[in-house]
Amino acid sequence: MKWGRPGVILVIVVIVAAVMGAAAAVQQALTVRDRRRFPPPGLLVNVDGHQMHLQVRGPDIDGPTVVLDAGMGSFSPNWHWVQVELASTVKSVAYDRAGLGWSRPSRRQRDAQTIAMELRDALREAGIEPPYVLAGHSFGGLPVRAFADLYPELTAGLVLVDASHPDQWVRWPTPHAAQILEVSQRIVGWLGWFGLLRVLNLSRRISAGLPARQAAELRAGAALPGYAAIEAEQLRAAASCCAAR
C-alpha cells in the first residue's frame, strides 16, 4: 500500500497526539500520587476564598515571630534548615505564596503588595500575633518589603537575603528580560501538562542539601503545570511595577 504525503502527515499527527495523551495521563496519575504522599505539613487557613499553607515551628514565647518568604521557584520546605536552627529560641513561619506549594491559587494579581496583604491575612487567620521579623530570599524580598511599607506597625524588622530589587527589571542589561522570562515560563507551564517539569526537575538546585522528604516535596510541587504559570504572573507583575516607577 502506498502512502501519499497527506497520509504520512496524518499518521504523524495521530502518533504525536497519542504520545501527548499518554504523557498527560501519566502526569495526572503522578500528580494524584504526590498529593497522597505529601499532605500539607503545616496549617491551612482561608484567605479570600482560597487556602494558604503556613509551616509554623518554635515555641510560643514573647517576642517577634520570624516570617520566611521563599524565592522564585520555591516554597516553604526550602526553609527547613533555617526553621530547625530557629526552633529552640523563636517561633518561625515559612509560608507558600498563593498557587505554590500547598497554597491554592488566588484570583488576585501577583504583585508584591497583593502578596503582602494575603500574607497579613493568613497570619491573622492562623492566630499568629505580631510583631513580625520578615525575611525574604530573592523574589521573596519584594513581598516582605511591601509588607513593611503597608504594615509598619506589625513589622519589627526586615531581613533581605540576596533579595530582588524593586527596580531590577528596568536596570537589567538584557532588553525585555522580564518579558522573555515570562513567556518562557508560560511555555514551560503548558509543557508541564505533559510531564516536562517532572522530567526537568527544576527544583534540583534549590533543594540541594535538604533532607530527602523536603527535597521530594519541592520536586513534586515544581512538577505541577500551574507552578510555572504562577511564576509567570509574578514576573509580569514585578516588571509592570518597575516600568511604572
Side-chain angles (χ1 to χ4, degrees):
M1 177 183 243
K2 293 184 179 180
W3 288 87
R5 187 170 181 181
V8 173
I9 294 174
L10 178 60
V11 169
I12 293 173
V13 169
V14 169
I15 292 173
V16 170
V19 170
M20 292 177 68
V26 171
Q27 166 67 17
Q28 181 60 29
L30 292 176
T31 297
V32 172
R33 181 206 64 176
D34 287 343
R35 286 174 181 160
R36 290 196 300 263
R37 290 174 63 201
F38 306 119
L43 302 174
L44 291 175
V45 297
N46 186 67
V47 174
D48 192 34
H50 70 278
Q51 288 187 321
M52 289 189 65
H53 174 255
L54 303 93
Q55 177 68 283
V56 184
R57 294 187 179 181
D60 286 316
I61 59 176
D62 291 335
T65 295
V66 177
V67 179
L68 304 164
D69 203 330
M72 184 76 74
S74 190
F75 49 100
S76 55
N78 206 203
W79 291 107
H80 172 77
W81 289 123
V82 174
Q83 288 197 285
V84 168
E85 290 296 319
L86 294 175
S88 62
T89 54
V90 299
K91 178 186 286 187
S92 67
V93 180
Y95 86 106
D96 303 332
R97 293 188 293 274
L100 300 177
W102 292 276
S103 292
R104 303 301 297 165
S106 171
R107 296 169 293 183
R108 301 174 179 177
Q109 62 181 358
R110 296 293 82 209
D111 60 279
Q113 288 73 25
T114 300
I115 294 172
M117 288 188 287
E118 291 174 344
L119 172 58
R120 186 277 311 267
D121 292 345
L123 292 168
R124 185 168 56 193
E125 288 296 318
I128 300 169
E129 298 295 330
Y132 311 115
V133 172
L134 299 121
H137 171 238
S138 190
F139 177 87
L142 298 177
V144 299
R145 287 176 63 142
F147 191 105
D149 287 339
L150 291 169
Y151 312 112
E153 73 283 2
L154 306 181
T155 305
L158 197 60
V159 180
L160 301 177
V161 185
D162 194 20
S164 298
H165 191 280
D167 293 337
Q168 73 178 43
W169 295 115
V170 295
R171 301 184 181 189
W172 205 272
T174 303
H176 311 295
Q179 290 80 2
I180 293 170
L181 286 174
E182 180 194 342
V183 171
S184 67
Q185 286 288 340
R186 294 193 185 282
I187 293 172
V188 168
W190 181 81
L191 292 174
W193 289 104
F194 309 102
L196 178 65
L197 296 179
R198 192 174 296 278
V199 173
L200 293 177
N201 185 17
L202 298 180
S203 70
R204 185 183 297 107
R205 289 186 178 180
I206 60 175
S207 63
L210 287 172
R213 176 76 181 190
Q214 283 71 32
E217 288 171 341
L218 283 172
R219 181 171 187 174
L224 298 173
Y227 178 90
I230 293 297
E231 303 289 18
E233 289 297 322
Q234 291 176 162
L235 279 166
R236 182 173 67 173
S240 297
C241 180
C242 284
R245 291 173 69 86

